[in-house]
């Protein structure tokens, strides 16, 4: 009974948007073409209006198709709309215009993760970290890619680094716990899940994950406690109910007394009469009758010899 964990991808917008980050001071001073449309697109994006943001970023690109920031921004808007193919194309165009733009590599890595192309995501995050080694978003997404590739030890290391930089982001503990589980370091995984539950005691998903980890350890009593706590929050969660039944069954089997040995009596040897098959008796009788008939046929018609008498 396997528990599958979802890899949640976060849209990294903070710090990636803002005209000052993308448009050089010289361009701003010169009133670069497209910057007003770009600025409007950023405002729309920040308010969650992604379709209008795409429209404004497109206007900026039509006015000035040499500005990588415009493609970056539209790429993130496409990503928010789950239009991943178009987002990837924009990030690739931004990289073409500015090979040292780590934002575009990170954006394209997010697209690759959504498409489960973990090798591409790993390559893009590593490229971003070559440009900016302390970029926490790149380290985090590299960790996601490493989980997708079952590179558990590397993922543990990356999420440990991210946790140092973002100790309040509970998703980092969840991902590291998954990597620990991949390494079969169940105690460390339990510790991470427990850290999450200390901050969010009613996190149903984490209760289920910790319960499943206890089950893998054979600690069915604790697994049952976590499953029951989760079912109080989500009574209709059939998956967790099945896991609860599984854990209860294993606990019952574990605590069941060993079967006692019983002697099987040796069957008595049947007597001689009991061994005579009635079929054999019938055959014998028929045989005797046949013999009698044959003898009668042979002797029929013969003259009987007379005894010697005195005349």
């Amino acid at each position: 009974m396997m528990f599958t964990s979802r890899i949640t991808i976060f849209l990294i917008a903070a710090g990636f948007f803002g005209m000052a980050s993308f448009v050089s001071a010289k361009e701003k001073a010169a009133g670069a073409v497209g910057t007003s449309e770009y600025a409007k697109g950023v405002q729309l994006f920040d308010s969650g209006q992604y379709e209008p943001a795409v429209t404004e970023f497109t206007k900026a690109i039509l006015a000035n198709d040499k500005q990588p920031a415009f493609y970056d921004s539209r790429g993130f808007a496409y990503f928010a709309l789950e239009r991943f193919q178009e987002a990837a194309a924009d990030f690739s165009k931004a990289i073409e215009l500015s090979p040292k733009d780590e934002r575009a590599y990170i954006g394209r890595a997010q697209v690759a993760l959504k498409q489960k192309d973990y090798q591409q995501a790993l390559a893009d995050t590593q490229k971003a970290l070559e440009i900016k080694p302390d970029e926490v978003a790149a380290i985090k997404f590299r960790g996601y890619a490493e989980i997708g590739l079952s590179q558990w030890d590397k993922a543990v290391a990356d999420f440990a680094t991210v946790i140092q930089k973002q100790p309040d982001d509970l998703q980092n503990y969840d991902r590291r716990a998954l990597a620990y589980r991949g390494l079969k370091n169940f105690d460390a995984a339990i510790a991470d899940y427990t850290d999450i539950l200390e901050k969010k005691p009613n996190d149903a998903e984490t209760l289920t994950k910790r319960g499943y980890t206890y089950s893998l350890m054979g600690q069915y009593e604790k697994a049952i406690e976590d499953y029951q706590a989760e079912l109080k929050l989500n009574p209709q969660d059939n998956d967790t109910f099945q896991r609860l039944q599984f854990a209860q069954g294993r606990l019952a089997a574990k605590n069941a007394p060993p079967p006692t040995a019983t002697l099987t009596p040796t069957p008595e040897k049947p007597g001689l009469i009991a061994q005579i098959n009635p079929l054999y008796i019938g055959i014998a009788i028929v045989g005797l009758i046949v013999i009698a008939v044959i003898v009668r046929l042979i002797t029929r018609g013969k003259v009987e010899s007379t005894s010697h008498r005195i005349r």
Side-chain angles (χ1 to χ4, degrees):
M1 185 177 297
M2 295 301 294
F3 183 83
T4 56
S5 300
R6 297 187 301 274
I7 295 182
T8 305
I9 308 301
F10 295 95
L11 178 65
I12 302 299
F16 284 2
F17 289 95
M19 189 165 58
S21 299
F22 293 129
V23 183
S24 68
K26 180 179 179 181
E27 287 175 315
K28 285 189 290 182
V33 176
T35 54
S36 60
E37 292 87 349
Y38 171 75
K40 186 176 180 180
V42 170
Q43 292 175 349
L44 290 167
F45 183 94
D46 288 342
S47 64
Q49 301 180 62
Y50 303 122
E51 285 284 8
V54 166
T55 300
E56 292 303 318
F57 291 139
T58 300
K59 290 178 182 178
I61 290 169
L62 291 173
N64 180 1
D65 62 357
K66 302 300 182 184
Q67 178 52 255
F70 298 168
Y71 291 97
D72 273 342
S73 304
R74 191 173 68 175
F76 282 108
Y78 278 139
F79 183 87
L81 293 168
E82 297 188 353
R83 294 163 62 175
F84 301 127
Q85 186 173 357
E86 292 155 293
D90 272 351
F91 292 132
S92 294
K93 182 64 176 179
I95 291 170
E96 177 187 328
L97 293 171
S98 179
K100 296 296 184 180
D101 181 4
E102 79 279 358
R103 296 175 300 269
Y105 287 107
I106 294 174
R108 195 168 67 179
Q110 291 184 79
V111 174
L113 287 170
K114 277 291 189 180
Q115 296 174 331
K116 298 184 179 181
D117 187 351
Y118 302 119
Q119 288 289 359
Q120 180 64 53
L122 186 63
D124 279 338
T125 52
Q126 288 177 335
K127 187 65 178 179
L129 288 167
E130 290 174 9
I131 299 167
K132 191 175 180 181
D134 61 345
E135 178 53 65
V136 67
I139 299 172
K140 176 184 290 187
F141 291 133
R142 185 173 68 181
Y144 284 130
E146 289 160 347
I147 287 176
L149 295 168
S150 300
Q151 297 178 4
W152 308 116
D153 52 345
K154 293 180 179 179
V156 164
D158 273 342
F159 282 108
T161 300
V162 175
I163 286 170
Q164 289 179 346
K165 296 176 179 291
Q166 297 178 339
D168 296 327
D169 187 345
L170 300 182
Q171 185 70 12
N172 297 327
Y173 296 90
D174 178 85
R175 296 298 88 190
R176 187 173 68 176
L178 176 60
Y180 275 135
R181 261 194 2 222
L183 291 170
K184 301 189 184 305
N185 188 346
F186 300 128
D187 288 328
I190 291 292
D192 275 344
Y193 289 135
T194 302
D195 282 344
I196 296 172
L197 289 167
E198 287 176 354
K199 298 177 178 66
K200 291 179 64 179
N202 293 327
D203 189 328
E205 186 173 356
T206 302
L207 281 167
T208 302
K209 290 176 180 179
R210 189 175 70 174
Y212 177 70
T213 307
Y214 277 133
S215 185
L216 292 175
M217 300 170 72
Q219 298 184 20
Y220 300 113
E221 298 93 336
K222 293 181 179 179
I224 289 169
E225 290 178 8
D226 278 347
Y227 290 150
Q228 289 175 335
E230 195 275 344
L231 287 169
K232 287 181 180 179
L233 300 171
N234 294 320
Q236 304 303 318
D237 186 349
N238 188 56
D239 288 341
T240 298
F241 180 72
Q242 290 181 5
R243 295 187 188 100
L244 172 62
Q245 288 185 314
F246 175 80
Q248 289 172 332
R250 294 302 295 268
L251 180 61
K254 180 180 178 181
N255 294 335
T260 56
T262 57
L263 295 176
T264 304
T266 302
E268 295 182 1
K269 186 175 181 181
L272 179 61
I273 300 299
Q275 295 183 54
I276 299 175
N277 194 311
L279 177 62
Y280 298 155
I281 297 174
I283 293 173
I285 292 172
V286 171
L288 290 173
I289 293 172
V290 171
I291 293 171
V293 170
I294 293 172
V295 170
R296 178 62 180 165
L297 290 174
I298 293 172
T299 59
R300 180 179 296 176
K302 284 187 176 183
V303 178
E304 295 182 359
S305 59
T306 60
S307 60
H308 298 283
R309 296 192 302 267
I310 300 176
R311 293 182 182 269

